Amino acid sequence: ETSSYDKDEL
Amino acid sequence: MNAFRFLGDMTHLFSVLVLLLKIYATKSCSGVSRKTQELYMVVFLARYMDLFTDYISLYNSVMKVVFITSSAAIVWCMRRHPQVRRTYDKEQDTFRHVVLVAAAFVLALIFNERFTFREICWAFSIYLEAVAILPQLVLLQRGRNVDNLTGQYVFFLGAYRAFYILNWIYRYFTEGHHSRWISWLSGLVQTGLYADFFYYYFLR
């Protein structure tokens, strides 16, 4: 799912 | 992790260190907007709540702790430190930052990836970060003399999100087309707000 990626950014 | 994002994180970290240096070395926070610092503390608290639930990497966790503690330390200094708090330009720092918090919260309720507590907090932190610099920019325009460290602080803070935009472009072409419009739009607004500051910063 898309929103999982941006949780790896600060 | 790509070079743009790493550069962005280091620039962001550096901006915080410059501000801490200025306050610690000069024991003064003149020219610094306490309201912007309070907004950044809220941004980090709202975005890094997953610090204790999701472990992504040591780097990620360490940086989250650094950003939360440094923003809290700066706010504490500006409110409680006997010497520093006296140098705060209370009557100059008049931006009604509560409006920014309310607007970001309403936007997060409407525009989010999923209507869950965590996603709404995340979107809120992204929207709030985009406008958190406004009290500081207003203070700079009012202030006659912008001391070098404060100017450098704002410069690095503006530069960091520009690196993140490059990071999103890079990830768009290398990792496929995630929908990251919340980050995109907020990042563009955030960097755009610095445009006139950068203009005068380089002209000066």
Side-chain angles (χ1 to χ4, degrees):
Chain A
E1 74 202 3
T2 55
S3 71
S4 60
Y5 83 89
D6 56 29
K7 298 305 176 290
D8 70 344
E9 292 181 346
L10 287 171
Chain B
M1 168 69 82
N2 60 64
F4 298 118
R5 200 168 114 212
F6 183 69
L7 262 177
D9 289 340
M10 290 305 107
T11 306
H12 191 191
L13 177 65
F14 194 66
S15 75
V16 168
L17 295 180
V18 162
L19 184 56
L20 276 169
L21 170 75
K22 170 209 162 54
I23 291 177
Y24 181 76
T26 66
K27 288 288 182 286
S28 157
C29 63
S30 69
V32 177
S33 163
R34 190 174 74 192
K35 298 189 172 188
T36 284
Q37 299 310 314
E38 289 164 352
L39 291 177
Y40 274 120
M41 193 170 71
V42 171
V43 165
F44 294 139
L45 290 172
R47 192 179 308 171
Y48 298 156
M49 274 187 302
D50 61 349
L51 176 63
F52 304 108
T53 56
D54 299 357
Y55 178 80
I56 291 163
S57 71
L58 183 63
Y59 170 84
N60 191 273
S61 301
V62 167
M63 291 297 276
K64 286 176 177 176
V65 169
V66 165
F67 284 133
I68 291 176
T69 47
S70 57
S71 64
I74 289 167
V75 169
W76 179 85
C77 269
M78 296 186 74
R79 282 187 171 278
R80 292 276 183 274
H81 189 286
Q83 282 174 285
V84 174
R85 63 186 299 217
R86 273 203 311 268
T87 62
Y88 169 52
D89 312 328
K90 193 171 186 59
E91 59 288 338
Q92 293 280 337
D93 193 14
T94 56
F95 198 100
R96 296 168 52 76
H97 61 328
V98 176
V99 171
L100 298 177
V101 176
F105 185 66
V106 167
L107 267 179
L109 287 176
I110 302 167
F111 302 108
N112 48 62
E113 303 259 352
R114 280 198 315 277
F115 197 80
T116 64
F117 176 72
R118 226 187 83 178
E119 286 297 329
I120 289 170
C121 283
W122 181 80
F124 166 70
S125 83
I126 293 288
Y127 298 139
L128 188 59
E129 185 187 6
V131 293
I133 196 64
L134 282 172
Q136 180 64 61
L137 291 180
V138 166
L139 192 61
L140 287 185
Q141 273 157 11
R142 279 198 187 134
R144 300 146 311 278
N145 59 335
V146 175
D147 68 83
N148 283 343
L149 283 171
T150 307
Q152 279 152 14
Y153 162 68
V154 176
F155 169 75
F156 287 118
L157 205 50
Y160 117 81
R161 214 62 181 168
F163 280 121
Y164 255 77
I165 290 171
L166 296 177
N167 151 65
W168 291 321
I169 294 170
Y170 176 83
R171 292 186 82 169
Y172 181 85
F173 288 113
T174 56
E175 294 174 25
H177 304 172
H178 289 304
S179 82
R180 46 183 85 196
W181 55 276
I182 291 182
S183 300
W184 269 104
L185 289 180
S186 307
L188 285 172
V189 166
Q190 182 167 340
T191 308
L193 288 178
Y194 287 80
D196 72 312
F197 169 79
F198 285 139
Y199 177 74
Y200 290 112
Y201 187 77
F202 286 114
L203 273 192
R204 191 179 53 181

